[in-house]
Amino acid sequence: MDVGNLLGQLAVLDIQLTRRGDDLLFDAPEEVLSGELVARLRTHKPAILRYLADDSLPPVERTGLATPIQRHMALRHDANPRPEVWNVPVRIDLSGALNEAVLIRSLEELVKRHQVLRTRFAWLGGVYVQQVLRFEQLDLVSVDLRDPTSTKDERGTVVDQWCTEIAQIPFSLLTDASMRVGLARTNRDQWTLVLVQHHILTDAVSVSTLLTDLGALYRTITRGDTPEEATEEQFIDYARRMARRAKEGALEPATAHWFELLAGARAGVRLPFPRSRPITPSGAGRLICRRLDHALRTELERTANHVSSTIFTVFVVGFTRLLSLLSGSDDVLITSSFGNRSEAAIETLPGLFANPIPLRVRFSPEETVAELLYATARQMSLALDHQELPQPLAQALDHRVVADVDGGTVAGFSMNHDVTEDLTLPGVKADILDVPIDAARTDLMVVCVEEREDLVLQVEYSTDVLDEQTVGAWLTRFENLLRSIGSKLPEPVARWTA
């Protein structure tokens, strides 16, 4: 038997193998530990040891099944002409009394602590697995961009270009899906730090967790203390546990819920795109932002309180109403990313836990806007109760529960936490910024970032089918719908237009 096939089968059985000299150690669930299995391991022990000892391969600490969402994202990564769109970059401008050596050591300790930051992916015998690599060195690009002869604007342009270059380097999931770090010295007491991960290993909550941990490590090392050991729970443990739960049928109630909700729905809406969709997508895209003032935020929060809901629900109803008006459809399906951290052990653990959940909003002309908000809030509450089922929309499509819409698009809307205050370094001011990437994951994705006072809409769109003028006009209509929703609560939905 090919050793790759055997290792793939062992990963499916949740069996961990470790080489210690000439000994082969294994960790297997009790229910799969049989005499036949032990015999197979003994028979193939020499081949397995040679594989684990192969210096041409990355040194692997642990192997486990990739999650269904990770497999789905890997396929989308491979299919996108611009795979760098799946990069998640964070730019941090630092100024003050930064100890560069302590910062680098803190980053090294961060990667040692979290196995997900040193994970790659591989196909073993037709099984997609994640492999934690042994820490050897930080993937660091360090440069000095100081130039006393250039103006402040010129230096800023150089730094911006460098950040974009670092952020847009595509990852190879088979070799280097681990975290990439760029550190540039930009002035006497100024630096720019860029952290880049592939989305297959992170989500919005994880970015916040890593920044918080980085600050804590920096403060610990600055005091001369020894950083704490890594927690026993790691993302690969969560993935192994979820695979067991799925095998045991624990996700069947969630499957039933989503199939009932999505029965008869159409996966996508026909939007009036100004450009015809090309036969071969380019993957190109743009990101534009629209800041909503504090007064509107206050009004939306008042509306949410009035119907015993959340501002997120108000946004979802407003966004789907926009799509309904644009498409002429009274049944609108979108996706939204839910945190999916219902277990205490993973609340602050980095990894790709977030799950794209479908939200179906149906507009009845006689129904009041308030009734629509109540119904959507109930649906979102049930979504939270059943969010652990991976890729419910994809599964519903596979089982023909949902009909695909030829020429349509599944738009997405999510709300993210603002991470600008998550990194605290003594004596250092840290400004956290986004690094735009000129690519798009889908036709239209809107993310609302909750800052301390205001709300910022970040709109990623495909330039294959959309242009800035059209997206800007849609955003204006969206904002008008949000501004009017409070006054429209007692009125029929048919009168809520923009």
Side-chain angles (χ1 to χ4, degrees), residues 323-429:
L323 299 181
S324 172
L325 294 170
L326 291 173
S327 65
S329 174
D330 290 333
D331 190 348
V332 176
L333 189 68
I334 65 170
T335 62
S336 185
S337 184
F338 280 56
N340 199 25
R341 282 173 164 82
S342 55
E343 301 177 23
I346 64 174
E347 283 184 357
T348 58
L349 191 67
L352 179 58
F353 297 95
N355 194 7
I357 293 298
L359 297 174
R360 185 181 186 182
V361 182
R362 284 171 274 197
F363 298 90
S364 172
E366 297 79 18
E367 183 182 36
T368 68
V369 175
E371 290 169 337
L372 176 63
L373 281 166
Y374 283 125
T376 306
R378 287 195 297 272
Q379 181 188 154
M380 293 175 69
S381 177
L382 289 171
L384 287 170
D385 292 338
H386 299 92
Q387 63 181 306
E388 67 178 349
L389 180 72
Q391 293 290 328
L393 180 55
Q395 294 191 33
L397 280 165
D398 288 344
H399 288 79
R400 304 294 190 269
V401 175
V402 172
D404 207 349
V405 178
D406 184 32
T409 184
V410 178
F413 180 89
S414 296
M415 291 194 75
N416 283 349
H417 160 71
D418 181 20
V419 299
T420 54
E421 297 182 5
D422 288 334
L423 179 62
T424 304
L425 305 176
V428 179
K429 181 176 183 293

Side-chain angles (χ1 to χ4, degrees), residues 76 80 82 84-89 199 271 273 283-290 319 409-414 435-448 457-467 471 474-475:
R76 295 187 67 186
N80 198 308
R82 301 282 301 276
E84 61 270 24
V85 72
W86 296 103
N87 292 5
V88 180
H199 197 2
L271 297 175
F273 292 140
R286 288 283 308 278
L287 179 72
I288 62 175
C289 298
R290 176 74 63 89
F319 184 60
T409 184
V410 178
F413 180 89
S414 296
V435 185
I437 295 177
D438 292 333
R441 301 170 189 172
T442 185
D443 290 336
L444 183 66
M445 170 65 71
V446 180
V447 176
C448 180
L457 297 178
Q458 297 178 340
V459 185
E460 179 187 285
Y461 64 92
S462 167
T463 52
D464 284 348
V465 293
L466 283 165
D467 55 43
V471 174
W474 289 359
L475 273 176

Side-chain angles (χ1 to χ4, degrees), residues 29-47:
E30 185 175 349
E31 62 270 18
V32 303
L33 189 59
S34 63
E36 180 186 357
L37 173 62
V38 173
R40 288 178 63 196
L41 289 174
R42 285 175 177 161
T43 299
H44 298 285
K45 174 183 173 180

Side-chain angles (χ1 to χ4, degrees), residues 61-323:
E61 281 188 3
R62 306 179 67 189
T63 297
L65 284 177
T67 66
I69 295 174
Q70 287 177 320
R71 291 196 296 271
H72 179 78
M73 188 169 292
L75 294 174
R76 295 187 67 186
H77 167 99
D78 293 339
N80 198 308
R82 301 282 301 276
E84 61 270 24
V85 72
W86 296 103
N87 292 5
V88 180
V90 178
R91 170 179 172 175
I92 308 166
D93 288 345
L94 304 166
S95 58
L98 178 73
N99 188 320
E100 188 173 326
V102 171
L103 177 64
I104 293 175
R105 187 186 164 196
S106 301
L107 289 163
E108 291 173 344
E109 293 293 336
L110 189 72
V111 177
K112 291 178 184 177
R113 172 178 291 186
H114 298 297
Q115 294 177 359
V116 75
L117 301 182
R118 42 190 169 91
T119 296
R120 72 157 194 166
F121 294 82
W123 288 97
L124 296 179
V127 178
Y128 200 56
V129 301
Q130 52 186 319
Q131 296 182 319
V132 177
L133 305 182
R134 185 173 67 242
F135 177 80
E136 293 188 323
Q137 64 181 12
L138 185 67
D139 184 4
L140 172 66
V141 176
S142 182
V143 298
D144 192 331
L145 299 180
R146 289 176 291 182
D147 182 0
T149 65
S150 61
T151 66
K152 181 179 179 181
D153 289 343
E154 290 171 338
R155 289 196 301 271
T157 299
V158 169
V159 175
D160 290 345
Q161 291 174 343
W162 176 80
C163 291
T164 300
E165 290 172 2
I166 294 290
Q168 293 194 151
I169 300 173
F171 282 101
S172 168
L173 299 180
L174 296 176
T175 57
D176 64 349
S178 303
M179 185 172 72
R180 180 185 305 138
V181 180
L183 180 61
R185 187 77 178 267
T186 59
N187 214 328
R188 182 178 60 85
D189 59 351
Q190 294 179 335
W191 295 259
T192 292
L193 174 67
V194 180
L195 308 178
V196 190
Q197 287 182 272
H198 194 286
H199 197 2
I200 200 170
L201 293 170
T202 192
D203 55 27
V205 177
S206 295
V207 171
S208 176
T209 293
L210 291 179
L211 293 176
T212 301
D213 281 3
L214 178 59
L217 285 166
Y218 184 92
R219 295 191 298 273
T220 296
I221 297 171
T222 298
R223 293 193 305 265
D225 297 334
T226 301
E228 295 180 2
E229 294 291 329
T231 59
E232 186 173 326
E233 179 80 7
Q234 296 285 335
F235 179 76
I236 196 171
D237 298 305
Y238 162 82
R240 295 171 67 186
R241 191 163 60 252
M242 290 305 296
R244 289 197 298 269
R245 284 175 52 77
K247 187 176 180 180
E248 294 165 357
L251 303 183
E252 291 178 1
T255 301
H257 164 78
W258 290 112
F259 281 16
E260 180 182 357
L261 173 73
L262 298 174
R266 295 185 299 170
V269 291
R270 292 182 181 274
L271 297 175
F273 292 140
R275 297 172 177 168
S276 299
R277 191 183 300 278
I279 296 176
T280 304
S282 70
R286 288 283 308 278
L287 179 72
I288 62 175
C289 298
R290 176 74 63 89
R291 182 172 293 275
L292 305 180
D293 57 70
H294 183 65
L296 176 55
R297 177 176 186 165
T298 301
E299 180 58 31
L300 294 177
E301 289 173 344
R302 185 180 298 115
T303 299
N305 290 333
H306 184 77
V307 293
S308 302
S309 184
T310 65
I311 193 172
F312 182 31
T313 303
V314 177
F315 268 105
V316 166
V317 170
F319 184 60
T320 51
R321 182 55 178 163
L322 171 68
L323 299 181

